[in-house]
Amino acid sequence: MSTPTVAAPLGDTGPSATSTRRCQVMGIVNVTPDSFSDGGRFLDVDAAVAHGLDLVRQGADLVDVGGESTRPGAVRVSEGEELRRVLPVVEALSDAGVRVSVDTMRAGVAAAAVAAGADLVNDVSGGLADPAMLPFLAEADVTCVLMHWRAHSQVMQQHAHYGSVVEEVRSELGRRCEAALSAGVREERIVIDPGLGFAKTSEHSWSLMAALPRLISLGFPLLVGASRKRFLAECVDYGGLDGARPEDRDDVSAAVATLAAATGAWGVRVHSVAVAAAASRTVSRLRADTGSAH
C-alpha cells in the first residue's frame, strides 16, 4: 500500500511518501473539569504544565492543550473562561521549548494561543464553529487540524446518520479543505482528522478506522484521535479491565495508534504517550529496514 505525496506541516516533522519520517505523537492536556477521560485532573495551571512536560519526556512530539470539553453532551464555556484556562499553560510549555497545539473552535482563542507560542491550531469543527477561524489561520500562516464535524457536542449524536460514512466523511473533509484553501490557508498547513466519535456511532468509527487509506488519499496529512474513546470499549473484556472506564481502554488505544501509524497517518492524538511513541518508532524502524513508506 502506497501513500500519496502529502504536505509536511510543522517543518521537518511532517510525512513524506519517500521518507521514513515517523508518525507524530500528540499528547493530550485537558485543562477542563469535564473532559470524558481526565476532566479535573489538570485544571490547575501548574498541574497541567507538569503533565505536558511529562508527556514530552514520555516521547510526545507535540502537546495539545484544550480548555473546552467536546465530549458528547458537553456544554460550551465562554471564550473568556477558555482563554483563562489555556493561555498560561500554552505560554509556559512553549517557553520550556515544547511544541504546543491549541485545541479550540474559537478564532480569538487560537489567535491568543499562537501569540503565546502555539505552533498548531486543532479545530475540531474544521472551521465551521467560528467563521473567523479560517481567515485567521490564513493570515497567521499557522498549521491547522481540520476535523470532520457536524454539530456541537450537545446535539452532535443527532447528526450521526450516513449512507456511506467513509465516503461522506471524506467528501465533507474535502469541502473543509477547499474552504480553507479558498480563505488563503496554504495547502502545506492543513492536516485532516476524521473525527472519530463525533456525530458517529461506534460502528461508524470502526468503519473509518478500517478505511484510513481512503481518507489519506485526499492528499493531506491525517491525524487520528481514537484514544480512550467509547467505541474502543467493546475490545476491552480481558484481565479484569472494564471498557466503561476510559483509562482501561489504553491497551486498545495503543493498538489503534499502531495501526494508524502503520497505515500512514501523520499523527496520533493520545492520552498514554509512551506506548504510542514506541509504536511510532517501531513502525518507522520497520520502514527503514524494508525501504518502504506507508
Side-chain angles (χ1 to χ4, degrees):
M1 176 173 54
S2 62
T3 302
T5 302
V6 294
L10 293 177
D12 61 4
T13 64
S16 166
T18 57
S19 78
T20 56
R21 291 172 181 165
R22 59 179 178 77
C23 178
Q24 297 293 283
V25 177
M26 179 185 283
I28 300 169
V29 175
N30 289 316
V31 193
T32 61
D34 57 344
S35 289
F36 81 94
S37 174
D38 53 6
R41 290 186 60 195
F42 309 113
L43 192 57
D44 175 77
V45 172
D46 290 341
V49 172
H51 183 54
L53 293 173
D54 187 51
L55 293 179
V56 172
R57 284 190 288 271
Q58 292 179 41
D61 299 292
L62 301 106
V63 173
D64 193 42
V65 179
E68 180 176 45
S69 174
T70 52
R71 63 175 175 78
V75 177
R76 298 207 72 188
V77 300
S78 69
E79 181 167 341
E81 176 62 15
E82 189 181 355
L83 285 165
R84 186 190 69 78
R85 292 176 181 178
V86 302
L87 282 188
V89 181
V90 170
E91 186 170 15
L93 289 174
S94 180
D95 286 349
V98 176
R99 305 189 88 169
V100 179
S101 165
V102 61
D103 179 357
T104 184
M105 294 182 279
R106 291 184 168 108
V109 175
V114 169
D119 296 291
L120 183 148
V121 175
N122 180 12
D123 183 354
V124 301
S125 80
L128 287 168
D130 185 344
M133 180 63 87
L134 295 182
F136 162 71
L137 295 172
E139 181 180 359
D141 193 29
V142 63
T143 299
C144 59
V145 176
L146 304 179
M147 195 190 81
H148 177 264
W149 184 88
R150 284 186 166 180
H152 285 290
S153 296
Q154 284 185 292
V155 297
M156 67 180 177
Q157 292 311 113
Q158 298 172 24
H159 297 264
H161 302 288
Y162 303 87
S164 168
V165 65
V166 172
E167 293 310 311
E168 288 178 48
V169 167
R170 187 181 186 278
S171 176
E172 289 170 31
L173 275 173
R175 289 199 292 273
R176 296 317 302 154
C177 292
E178 290 171 3
L181 293 170
S182 294
V185 179
R186 290 193 292 136
E187 182 178 358
E188 56 266 35
R189 289 297 197 184
I190 298 173
V191 178
I192 58 174
D193 180 339
L196 302 175
F198 285 79
K200 296 168 188 75
T201 64
S202 292
E203 187 60 36
H204 292 147
S205 292
W206 282 116
S207 294
L208 289 165
M209 276 300 308
L212 292 184
R214 180 70 179 142
L215 301 176
I216 291 171
S217 72
L218 277 168
F220 293 92
L222 181 74
L223 176 69
V224 176
S227 181
R228 295 184 178 177
K229 288 187 175 177
R230 189 176 303 172
F231 79 97
L232 302 178
E234 67 184 76
C235 296
V236 182
D237 59 355
Y238 55 90
L241 298 179
D242 182 356
R245 293 194 298 259
E247 62 272 20
D248 281 0
R249 303 170 196 160
D250 277 349
D251 289 348
V252 181
S253 298
V256 169
T258 304
L259 291 170
T263 303
W266 167 80
V268 289
R269 183 178 181 273
V270 298
H271 296 85
S272 184
V273 161
V275 289
S280 172
R281 285 166 170 78
T282 301
V283 170
S284 179
R285 179 63 184 85
L286 287 171
R287 288 180 184 164
D289 194 57
T290 62
S292 64
H294 298 277

